[in-house]
Amino acid sequence: MIDYPKIKRDETVEETLHGVKVKDPYRWLENPYSDETKEFVAAQMEITDPFLKSSPIYGKVKGRLTELWNFPKYTVPTKHGSKYFFEKNSGLQNQNVIYVQNSLDTESSIFLDPNTFSEDGTIALTNKAFSEDGQIFAYALSHAGSDWQQIKFKNVATGEDYQEVLEKVKFSSIAWTHDNKGIFYMCYKHQKGRTDGTETTSNENQNMYYHYLGTNQSEDHHALWWCTPPGLDPLSSLGGELNDSSDKSSEENVSFPKWRTSSEVSVCGKYLFVTVQVGCENQLLYYVDLEALVQRRGAPDYDWSLVASPHQMYAQLPIITIVNKLEADFEYITNMNAPCTYGNEEHSRGEKGNPAIGRQAEVAIFLTNKDAPRRRLIAIDLCRYTMNSDCESLCKSWSTIIPEHEKDVLEWCACVADDKLVTCYLRDARDVLQLRDLKTGNLIKEYDLDMGTISGFSGKKKYSEFFFSVTSFLSPTIIYQVDISKDATAEPKVIRVVHLDKLDATKFMTKQIFYSSKDGTKVPMFIVHKKDLKLDSSAPTLLYGYGGFNISMKPSFSVFRLAFIHDFNGVFALANIRGGGEYGEEWQNAGRLLNRQNCIDDFIAGAEYLIDAKYTSSNKLAIMGGSHGGMLVGACVNQRPELYAAAIPMVGVMDMLRFHKFTIGYAWCTDYGTPDEKEHFNSIIKYSPLHNIRRPSNGAQYPSILVLTADHDDRVVPLHSFKYTAELQNTIGSWEQQNNPLLIRIDVKAGHSAGMPTSKMIDEYTDITVFIAKTLKLEYKP
């Protein structure tokens, strides 16, 4: 039995929520900078590190993972201007390096090496965008895994950086105007306190700015100034908040601190499309006619610096609303030219100084789930919209190019070769790649992917070639080139195959099964193991799940998982539970909000299937999940502790009653519901991992648990894992019947996982592997 640290428990912290008294004795752990929290962290690592590193196989596992990880990795080529760019990692480099070449057949050279930015590899490239002419490269850097970014600019020809650096950037797109003079971007310019990823302050008041290349960020101005769309209540439907409660009737008295914006300049360069969302789904949709703006200015080039204030900017930008209700998602794909037939005063913007009559109208193509839970592709005639359009009526004029499929989910689309569409469908959690006609949506060709996932794609409307890469549980990467300049049905050409030479993939197999959940719903699950595995209930098995935020879990390659299967004769299983996006919006809704228990039931049923089918047994079964999946693991442990031998909740949302109070947590209310509302509170409190830790009444103990978090995780802040671990050790760890360890691993200079350097990934997976092996008493046979 482990001698856990003595953790202060403040029983005086209690609040009444919707008539229910809720204690929060570890709320002091919400302050990451206090001496007490620092002492907690140090004390926890003083027991976790020795537990892991005392294992006789620790060094062997780390050496083995390092050896297996050491193979070259590539991304698909992308064409910008006259050059091709791709990323490569020679094997153990902490960050991928960007290479450039004049053609696919010529030698490549290093264009940008993020490994030079820091000795330990903790500065990562997290976003990038080339100017339309391919001459300027905008790139975003993250430090220590934080979501905060800096945007820098590089001259492609000379390799030199521009002097300006854009700070306080977060959750931002990078959209170049086609004059190549600057970008639209988003930042929290007025965020107070620290902005290094260790803070817990709520992220509010994001604004969109235009940065003119070669100037200081201090000269950037608001690109948009929001007001309430006509006819809508900003408080009840759009996430608005009153600035002054004494005057509820004044529109100017409403602000939108939780709005997050994304922008994209159209393929033709004429339009800026802007989406706004409050949570993690459903968007408002706007556009700005940049071409008409230039014409109105009467100048060949629009000087953004002429706008001196947000109010003036709003007056100058003719922002037009297309969608004014938060009820669906919209993703801009491309444009099509069509005659503008709406020349009367009601529909034309030309008579108001925004020319439409007599020109070719732009029909914008969007991917949406509006009236289509599995998504469809629609065309919107922009000529129909004015500053005062009736958006609800006009949405009936949208035409459908690709209707919703009866079963498959239309995940994404891309326009290539002027009038073709590459479409990717999700069919039973497996990708299906197709080529279609842009105008009709008709199918031209379907590409054979077997049981693979599209891990990368590049292609543009102006190019007749496109590239895609395929990965699977057993194959790292295969990169294809497709040239349809002469034949639209041309077969893909393999231009690169990445192998893992030190493991023979032919000895493994992947299968997909469908099991029944508690309510009879059929749930798909992938299972990977050696071909000669005997189904005698003895195989150590790792079950992974997520089930949230419309995110689909698909086949992907992992050195860690294959090493686990090979070196321990193990099994890996991936359950595609409800709450995810595997079957579209209906599948998601069946596991979100008040239906969250379905997600948990699905995962438990997956564990039961693996046991009933004799893959494994309860004393050989480990479960694992990250972020929302960490919450899933915590909830499943509380509800069925006897079902598993080990649990790995990674960066999990554990305090479900206070998640919305920190950084970007409020955005998750669209998936979890808000604890501030009684109906949602009554649902959430039943499964919240922190609030349901109890000693089992059936005499079983909790499984061995290794909680993972990181000090710079400003997505799911580490206080979730701190409070959960403290409660675990107090309630369960102090119980004489509990012999299984309850530990936490706290990484430093790391975040939610994005941009994590290779060395840290190897360290993390070494610790997880050793923990599972030690607690399940597994024999190591590499």
Side-chain angles (χ1 to χ4, degrees):
M1 188 173 182
I2 293 178
D3 184 16
Y4 296 104
K6 305 302 180 184
I7 307 171
K8 183 184 78 172
R9 186 176 175 87
D10 187 352
E11 299 287 357
T12 66
V13 181
E14 179 180 283
E15 56 188 336
T16 301
L17 303 174
H18 309 290
V20 178
K21 290 185 177 180
V22 179
K23 287 184 175 294
D24 195 3
Y26 301 112
R27 186 170 291 185
W28 56 272
L29 283 168
E30 292 180 359
N31 181 359
Y33 309 119
S34 72
D35 290 339
E36 287 180 314
T37 299
K38 294 175 182 177
E39 290 170 3
F40 168 86
V41 171
Q44 291 297 329
M45 292 309 295
E46 283 177 4
I47 60 172
T48 299
D49 272 349
F51 180 88
L52 297 172
K53 292 179 180 177
S54 64
S55 168
I57 68 170
Y58 186 90
K60 297 177 182 178
V61 169
K62 185 172 182 177
R64 171 72 162 163
L65 288 177
T66 302
E67 177 190 32
L68 292 176
W69 220 288
N70 193 11
F71 67 94
K73 306 160 188 72
Y74 295 85
T75 65
V76 295
T78 61
K79 190 173 184 180
H80 300 283
S82 61
K83 300 180 183 296
Y84 290 89
F85 298 81
F86 66 92
E87 293 181 26
K88 176 186 175 182
N89 190 306
S90 61
L92 296 176
Q93 289 176 289
N94 275 322
Q95 301 292 340
N96 289 355
V97 178
I98 300 180
Y99 287 79
V100 59
Q101 54 189 159
N102 292 325
S103 70
L104 295 177
D105 300 322
T106 59
E107 288 293 321
S108 61
S109 59
I110 294 177
F111 173 69
L112 181 70
D113 184 359
N115 296 290
T116 63
F117 299 153
S118 61
E119 291 185 3
D120 58 4
T122 56
I123 298 180
L125 179 69
T126 49
N127 197 5
K128 58 185 185 290
F130 284 86
S131 59
E132 180 64 17
D133 62 5
Q135 296 302 305
I136 308 295
F137 180 65
Y139 62 103
L141 299 178
S142 166
H143 295 250
S146 169
D147 282 333
W148 290 106
Q149 299 173 331
Q150 296 175 322
I151 295 180
K152 297 184 176 184
F153 301 87
K154 179 181 288 292
N155 185 301
V156 173
T158 67
E160 295 180 356
D161 274 356
Y162 286 73
Q163 290 186 351
E164 66 259 41
V165 178
L166 310 185
E167 305 281 0
K168 291 190 177 182
V169 178
K170 201 173 195 181
F171 311 128
S172 177
S173 52
I174 300 176
W176 283 92
T177 47
H178 281 209
D179 59 5
N180 308 299
K181 292 184 177 180
I183 64 167
F184 292 99
Y185 72 101
M186 294 79 201
C187 79
Y188 293 86
K189 187 175 183 179
H190 304 292
Q191 180 87 12
K192 296 180 180 179
R194 298 197 189 194
T195 54
D196 62 1
T198 62
E199 75 286 346
T200 62
T201 311
S202 188
N203 299 138
E204 296 185 346
N205 299 306
Q206 185 200 61
N207 285 297
M208 187 168 78
Y209 295 84
Y210 185 84
H211 176 75
Y212 199 91
L213 195 63
T215 65
N216 292 325
Q217 186 180 16
S218 60
E219 300 176 44
D220 296 350
H221 300 290
H222 285 90
L224 295 172
W225 188 252
W226 298 113
C227 69
T228 307
L232 294 181
D233 178 0
L235 300 181
S236 64
S237 60
L238 298 178
E241 296 182 6
L242 285 173
N243 297 325
D244 180 0
S245 59
S246 65
D247 183 3
K248 296 185 179 181
S249 62
S250 173
E251 182 181 283
E252 295 180 356
N253 210 31
V254 177
S255 62
F256 303 93
K258 294 179 172 60
W259 275 20
R260 299 190 321 284
T261 306
S262 182
S263 66
E264 184 171 2
V265 174
S266 63
V267 173
C268 61
K270 298 177 183 177
Y271 304 104
L272 175 72
F273 292 104
V274 179
T275 57
V276 173
Q277 61 188 95
V278 179
C280 292
E281 61 175 30
N282 297 337
Q283 299 162 330
L284 306 176
L285 176 61
Y286 305 86
Y287 82 97
V288 177
D289 191 330
L290 298 177
E291 183 181 68
L293 188 63
V294 171
Q295 291 183 17
R296 188 174 68 182
R297 282 289 186 182
D301 294 309
Y302 177 59
D303 186 356
W304 293 92
S305 64
L306 293 175
V307 179
S309 71
H311 290 284
Q312 186 179 351
M313 174 65 80
Y314 178 74
Q316 299 299 323
L317 283 183
I319 184 169
I320 297 174
T321 305
I322 300 176
V323 176
N324 62 1
K325 287 187 176 181
L326 291 167
E327 58 183 14
D329 296 323
F330 297 87
E331 179 183 346
Y332 169 72
I333 305 300
T334 190
N335 294 41
M336 287 195 304
N337 289 325
C340 184
T341 58
Y342 301 94
N344 57 58
E345 185 176 355
E346 179 181 358
H347 293 297
S348 173
R349 300 189 306 278
E351 298 177 15
K352 301 297 182 181
N354 198 350
I357 301 174
R359 76 173 189 185
Q360 287 285 302
E362 290 290 346
V363 175
I365 311 301
F366 286 88
L367 180 62
T368 183
N369 61 352
K370 168 73 171 171
D371 301 324
R374 288 174 295 282
R375 299 201 203 181
R376 60 179 174 136
L377 199 68
I378 62 170
I380 300 177
D381 189 344
L382 300 181
C383 281
R384 290 179 175 269
Y385 288 84
T386 68
M387 297 291 286
N388 298 303
S389 294
D390 182 351
C391 297
E392 290 191 56
S393 297
L394 285 177
C395 73
K396 298 175 184 177
S397 69
W398 300 348
S399 59
T400 298
I401 298 176
I402 302 178
E404 177 188 27
H405 192 276
E406 60 183 13
K407 182 181 178 183
D408 301 343
V409 180
L410 183 53
E411 281 210 305
W412 56 264
C413 304
C415 183
V416 297
D418 189 56
D419 60 354
K420 303 293 187 300
L421 279 172
V422 178
T423 60
C424 183
Y425 281 90
L426 189 59
R427 181 179 299 163
D428 289 329
R430 294 188 282 182
D431 282 347
V432 177
L433 195 69
Q434 299 174 341
L435 186 69
R436 292 175 175 268
D437 183 270
L438 173 60
K439 293 182 179 180
T440 65
N442 291 340
L443 178 66
I444 297 173
K445 184 178 180 61
E446 183 168 305
Y447 303 102
D448 183 17
L449 303 181
D450 194 18
M451 199 179 293
T453 298
I454 302 296
S455 54
F457 175 86
S458 73
K460 295 183 179 181
K461 184 175 184 178
K462 59 184 176 182
Y463 299 135
S464 60
E465 67 176 355
F466 60 91
F467 304 87
F468 64 91
S469 59
V470 179
T471 187
S472 70
F473 290 113
L474 305 179
S475 171
T477 308
I478 303 175
I479 299 177
Y480 297 89
Q481 177 191 23
V482 184
D483 186 347
I484 56 174
S485 57
K486 297 179 180 179
D487 180 7
T489 63
E491 292 294 328
K493 173 187 175 183
V494 176
I495 61 172
R496 194 183 302 277
V497 179
V498 177
H499 296 286
L500 184 63
D501 294 330
K502 298 176 180 66
L503 279 180
D504 184 359
T506 63
K507 294 182 178 179
F508 302 89
M509 64 176 292
T510 301
K511 67 175 69 172
Q512 185 182 39
I513 60 93
F514 294 81
Y515 65 88
S516 295
S517 189
K518 183 177 180 179
D519 62 0
T521 299
K522 290 294 183 182
V523 180
M525 180 161 63
F526 294 101
I527 303 176
V528 188
H529 56 77
K530 290 181 179 178
K531 289 180 178 178
D532 60 358
L533 178 74
K534 295 181 180 179
L535 297 182
D536 58 5
S537 303
S538 66
T541 298
L542 179 60
L543 172 63
Y544 191 94
Y546 188 79
F549 296 89
N550 200 33
I551 295 174
S552 303
M553 295 288 103
K554 299 186 288 187
S556 62
F557 187 79
S558 165
V559 168
F560 155 69
R561 295 193 302 235
L562 278 187
F564 173 79
I565 295 170
H566 181 275
D567 298 348
F568 297 100
N569 196 30
V571 174
F572 173 75
L574 176 63
N576 301 110
I577 59 181
R578 282 175 285 183
E582 286 83 354
Y583 293 102
E585 189 178 348
E586 293 170 347
W587 190 255
Q588 178 199 8
N589 289 340
R592 68 185 275 264
L593 299 177
L594 303 180
N595 296 321
R596 180 61 65 196
Q597 186 60 42
N598 286 337
C599 162
I600 300 166
D601 289 342
D602 288 356
F603 198 64
I604 291 173
E608 292 175 330
Y609 172 87
L610 292 168
I611 293 171
D612 293 343
K614 297 189 181 302
Y615 284 97
T616 192
S617 58
S618 290
N619 62 357
K620 295 293 184 183
L621 177 60
I623 57 174
M624 181 174 171
S627 192
H628 168 78
M631 184 282 295
L632 168 72
V633 168
C636 288
V637 165
N638 287 337
Q639 295 186 19
R640 292 291 303 277
E642 82 290 348
L643 195 57
Y644 331 98
I648 318 291
M650 307 169 69
V651 293
V653 188
M654 300 311 208
D655 186 348
M656 293 298 297
L657 298 185
R658 290 174 61 78
F659 71 86
H660 58 312
K661 297 180 181 293
F662 310 106
T663 60
I664 196 62
Y666 59 79
W668 312 334
C669 290
T670 53
D671 216 73
Y672 294 136
T674 171
D676 296 336
E677 295 180 9
K678 184 175 182 179
E679 183 181 34
H680 291 149
F681 169 84
N682 289 338
S683 172
I684 290 170
I685 197 170
K686 294 177 183 177
Y687 67 82
S688 174
L690 175 63
H691 300 94
N692 289 278
I693 298 172
R694 301 180 181 90
R695 295 178 179 179
S697 58
N698 59 3
Q701 61 173 320
Y702 262 45
S704 301
I705 298 177
L706 180 63
V707 182
L708 273 71
T709 189
D711 65 345
H712 282 72
D713 187 349
D714 50 352
R715 186 83 57 85
V716 180
V717 288
L719 66 87
H720 284 277
S721 295
F722 292 171
K723 294 168 72 174
Y724 172 73
T725 300
E727 187 63 45
L728 265 181
Q729 292 178 353
N730 176 77
T731 303
I732 306 299
S734 62
W735 187 27
E736 62 181 12
Q737 189 165 321
Q738 179 71 24
N739 294 312
N740 294 329
L742 308 169
L743 305 175
I744 182 171
R745 179 189 188 274
I746 305 163
D747 204 354
V748 295
K749 295 188 73 175
H752 200 60
S753 74
M756 181 179 286
T758 297
S759 57
K760 280 189 171 293
M761 285 192 282
I762 292 174
D763 287 345
E764 180 172 286
Y765 285 122
T766 296
D767 288 352
I768 293 172
T769 301
V770 168
F771 183 81
I772 294 174
K774 186 170 183 176
T775 55
L776 271 61
K777 299 178 174 59
L778 303 182
E779 185 177 2
Y780 185 51
K781 292 183 178 181

